[in-house]
């Protein structure tokens, strides 16, 4: 989306294809790096937060066992367990500290552990961002290497629209929601971003160039 916005604003400003490529790649690489760092730091922060709360739960299990056992009982009572079955479930869970703490983390704190490496997540984020972010620039790179006699921005818009379509479908697939809704939302956001960039570029071009 950001790469296409750069392309759109550059085109309306009348910049040459080589300049569009430079600006596009500079934005793509910098934005991708920022996104990957953000994803990596976010994951590390979540892992540190999980570890901190897990240590607290271990301390409570070891020093306040009856209170923690009662919390387990209340959690499963709320799930519909009662009587002898409730006591049996409570006994089984609290007989193993690891299971006990894992249960408290998930059921009481609603926290799950992220096993994937922050560096791995950052790397995947960067590669994914670069891969899809290249789409609006592809036709300009091809034109630079082998001049074309086509309306480059139109082709870039079509390719970007197809990219948004794929992203929307993948988002819906992963989240198990409506594919149509996911595609429409993604296309709408992309269109709005392109329009903003286009008209901002047009406004600045008029202001600067006159």
């Amino acid at each position: 989306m950001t790469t296409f916005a750069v392309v759109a604003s550059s085109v309306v400003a009348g910049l040459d294809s080589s300049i569009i490529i430079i600006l596009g790649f500079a934005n793509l690489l910098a934005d991708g790096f920022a996104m990957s760092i953000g994803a990596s730091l976010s994951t590390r922060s979540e892992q540190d937060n999980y570890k901190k709360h897990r240590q607290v739960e271990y301390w409570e299990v070891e020093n306040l066992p009856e209170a923690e056992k009662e919390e387990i009982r209340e959690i499963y009572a709320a799930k519909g367990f009662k009587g002898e079955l409730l006591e049996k479930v409570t006994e089984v869970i609290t007989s193993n500290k690891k299971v006990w703490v894992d249960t408290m983390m998930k059921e009481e704190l609603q926290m799950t552990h992220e096993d994937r490496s922050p560096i791995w997540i950052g790397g995947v984020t960067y590669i994914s961002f670069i891969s899809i972010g290249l789409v609006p620039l592809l036709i300009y790179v091809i034109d630079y290497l082998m001049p074309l006699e086509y309306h480059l921005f139109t082709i870039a818009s079509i390719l970007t629209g197809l990219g948004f379509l794929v992203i929307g479908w993948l988002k819906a697939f992963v989240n198990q929601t409506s594919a149509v809704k996911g595609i429409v939302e993604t296309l709408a956001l992309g269109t709005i971003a392109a329009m903003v960039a286009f008209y901002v570029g047009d406004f600045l071009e008029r202001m600067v160039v006159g």
Side-chain angles (χ1 to χ4, degrees), residues 30-81:
D31 250 8
F33 183 73
M35 289 284 288
S36 66
I37 291 297
S40 180
L41 291 177
S42 176
T43 302
R44 186 177 297 279
S45 178
E46 288 179 7
Q47 290 178 341
D48 289 343
N49 190 45
Y50 181 90
K51 190 179 299 183
K52 179 187 71 176
H53 282 85
R54 189 176 178 81
Q55 289 173 345
V56 171
E57 287 298 327
Y58 262 111
W59 185 91
E60 291 178 345
V61 163
E62 292 172 355
N63 294 275
L64 303 168
E66 290 306 317
E68 291 299 292
K69 184 176 292 188
E70 182 58 31
E71 288 184 5
I72 290 290
R73 188 177 288 108
E74 290 173 357
I75 288 171
Y76 281 89
K79 293 177 180 292
F81 290 81

Side-chain angles (χ1 to χ4, degrees), residues 106-163:
K106 182 178 180 181
E107 301 293 345
E108 181 188 30
L109 302 180
Q110 304 297 310
M111 296 178 71
T112 56
H113 182 55
E114 175 57 76
D115 293 320
R116 293 173 297 181
S117 164
I119 295 177
W120 185 86
I121 289 179
V124 171
T125 300
Y126 189 68
I127 292 171
S128 301
F129 190 93
I130 295 296
S131 298
I132 195 67
L134 276 172
V135 172
L137 295 172
L138 284 177
I139 193 64
Y140 291 95
V141 173
I142 293 173
D143 178 66
Y144 181 77
L145 298 173
M146 184 177 58
L148 303 172
E149 296 182 1
Y150 299 103
H151 197 295
L152 301 182
F153 183 64
T154 299
I155 298 175
S157 299
I158 293 172
L159 292 176
T160 302
L162 292 174

Side-chain angles (χ1 to χ4, degrees), residues 5-6 8-15 23 195-210:
V6 170
S9 59
S10 299
V11 168
V12 77
L15 299 180
L23 293 177
M195 290 177 64
V196 169
F198 189 87
Y199 287 111
V200 166
D202 181 59
F203 174 75
L204 292 177
E205 192 269 343
R206 291 173 186 273
M207 289 290 291
V208 176
V209 180

